[in-house]
């Protein structure tokens, strides 16, 4: 993993970054329904779990854009990671708690899926907030609320407001007009990305779902 510092004085986004970090520090949420009709059908045919497929889709698109990889490092430097891996929540049905697990990202879905299954086998029943230790700094959070098809979701983070990476929340999919739709919410920091960038991300996620036959295994 490589952290690339940003020379702020030469950065085209400098005035927007400074405004939304220093003058009007704010994050915003955007929610969209992703059509997963084809994706869900293909996954069921192949016996592949939906959650890791969605995690990989989100991570794949996030890694295409430096806006979503921009953050402060442990030394307080502004920059962007060359690649992010997902840190995601899992649910313990017996006591209704959850844990967080991270899986090393791979651009190839098969590789990532194998790593996900290995991590779930080892850490899936570990009941700690952070079930898998030694989480690297280049991760971003994904969580799932599969019990409700929400129409909006706003995550309120009460800190200094300097967490710049995106945060995603997946809802319960539902049927509408012969389509299977999945609510997906993203929390973004306005200092590093605008509504345009978030819109590109959601549109690319939809394209990823539509073209799932190109990246899912053939067998």
């Amino acid at each position: 993993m490589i952290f690339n510092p940003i020379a702020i004085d030469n950065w085209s986004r400098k005035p927007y970054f400074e405004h939304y970090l220093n003058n009007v520090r704010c994050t915003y949420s955007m929610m969209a329904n992703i059509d997963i009709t084809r994706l869900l059908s293909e996954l069921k045919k192949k016996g592949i779990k939906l959650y890791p497929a969605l995690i990989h889709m989100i991570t794949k698109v996030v890694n295409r854009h430096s806006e979503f990889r921009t953050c402060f490092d442990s030394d307080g430097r502004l920059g962007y990671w060359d690649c992010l891996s997902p840190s995601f929540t899992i649910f313990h049905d017996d006591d209704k708690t959850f844990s967080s697990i991270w899986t090393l990202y791979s651009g190839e879905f098969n590789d990532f899926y194998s790593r996900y299954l290995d991590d779930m086998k080892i850490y899936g029943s570990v009941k700690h907030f952070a079930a898998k230790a030694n989480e690297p700094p280049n991760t971003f959070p994904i969580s799932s609320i599969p019990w409700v098809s929400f129409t909006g979701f706003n995550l309120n983070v009460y800190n200094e407001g300097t967490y710049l990476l995106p945060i995603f929340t997946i809802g319960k999919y539902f049927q509408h007009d012969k389509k299977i739709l999945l609510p997906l919410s993203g929390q973004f920091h306005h200092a590093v990305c605008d509504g345009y960038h978030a819109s590109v991300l959601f549109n690319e996620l939809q394209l990823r779902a539509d073209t799932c036959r190109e990246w899912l295994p053939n067998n």
Side-chain angles (χ1 to χ4, degrees):
M1 56 185 175
I2 300 173
F3 187 78
N4 305 278
I6 292 174
I8 297 181
D9 290 338
N10 298 324
W11 191 28
S12 62
R13 191 170 178 83
K14 177 183 177 181
Y16 307 93
F17 175 81
E18 291 182 339
H19 177 73
Y20 287 116
L21 189 74
N22 300 323
N23 300 332
V24 184
R25 186 171 296 182
C26 71
T27 64
Y28 65 95
S29 298
M30 183 180 292
M31 199 284 293
N33 289 321
I34 307 298
D35 183 351
I36 62 166
T37 310
R38 180 176 298 173
L39 173 66
L40 193 60
S41 175
E42 290 298 313
L43 292 176
K44 288 181 177 179
K45 289 178 185 177
K46 301 175 184 299
I48 297 174
K49 298 177 183 295
L50 174 63
Y51 193 32
L54 295 173
I55 292 171
H56 188 267
M57 283 173 48
I58 294 170
T59 310
K60 184 82 170 182
V61 174
V62 162
N63 277 321
R64 288 176 178 166
H65 304 280
S66 61
E67 293 85 5
F68 303 120
R69 293 181 275 114
T70 301
C71 62
F72 293 105
D73 70 358
S74 58
D75 295 323
R77 298 180 302 168
L78 178 69
Y80 59 93
W81 293 104
D82 62 331
C83 181
L84 293 180
S85 291
S87 176
F88 51 92
T89 58
I90 60 168
F91 187 68
H92 304 295
D93 191 59
D94 56 348
D95 62 359
K96 314 307 180 191
T97 62
F98 73 91
S99 298
S100 178
I101 295 176
W102 61 274
T103 293
L104 186 65
Y105 174 68
S106 171
E108 294 297 324
F109 175 72
N110 285 356
D111 294 340
F112 176 80
Y113 190 58
S114 295
R115 294 173 184 175
Y116 169 90
L117 294 178
D118 289 342
D119 283 335
M120 288 299 295
K121 183 178 180 180
I122 298 171
Y123 305 105
S125 60
V126 177
K127 292 186 177 180
H128 297 301
F129 179 82
K132 182 181 177 182
N134 301 316
E135 182 172 328
N138 61 325
T139 61
F140 72 101
I142 299 174
S143 62
S144 177
I145 306 177
W147 307 280
V148 61
S149 302
F150 53 71
T151 56
F153 188 90
N154 187 59
L155 185 67
N156 301 302
V157 180
Y158 293 97
N159 59 13
E160 295 180 353
T162 57
Y163 184 83
L164 305 181
L165 295 176
I167 303 173
F168 295 93
T169 306
I170 301 167
K172 178 183 179 181
Y173 64 78
F174 62 97
Q175 186 166 345
H176 179 71
D177 290 341
K178 298 182 180 180
K179 295 181 180 179
I180 304 297
L181 303 179
L182 178 93
L184 177 65
S185 171
Q187 188 86 1
F188 308 97
H189 203 298
H190 214 337
V192 294
C193 65
D194 307 319
Y196 166 78
H197 304 99
S199 300
V200 168
L201 181 142
F202 280 105
N203 288 334
E204 289 190 6
L205 282 173
Q206 184 59 69
L207 180 61
R208 191 78 179 155
D210 292 341
T211 59
C212 60
R213 292 172 184 167
E214 297 178 6
W215 52 270
L216 287 173
N218 293 323
N219 55 337

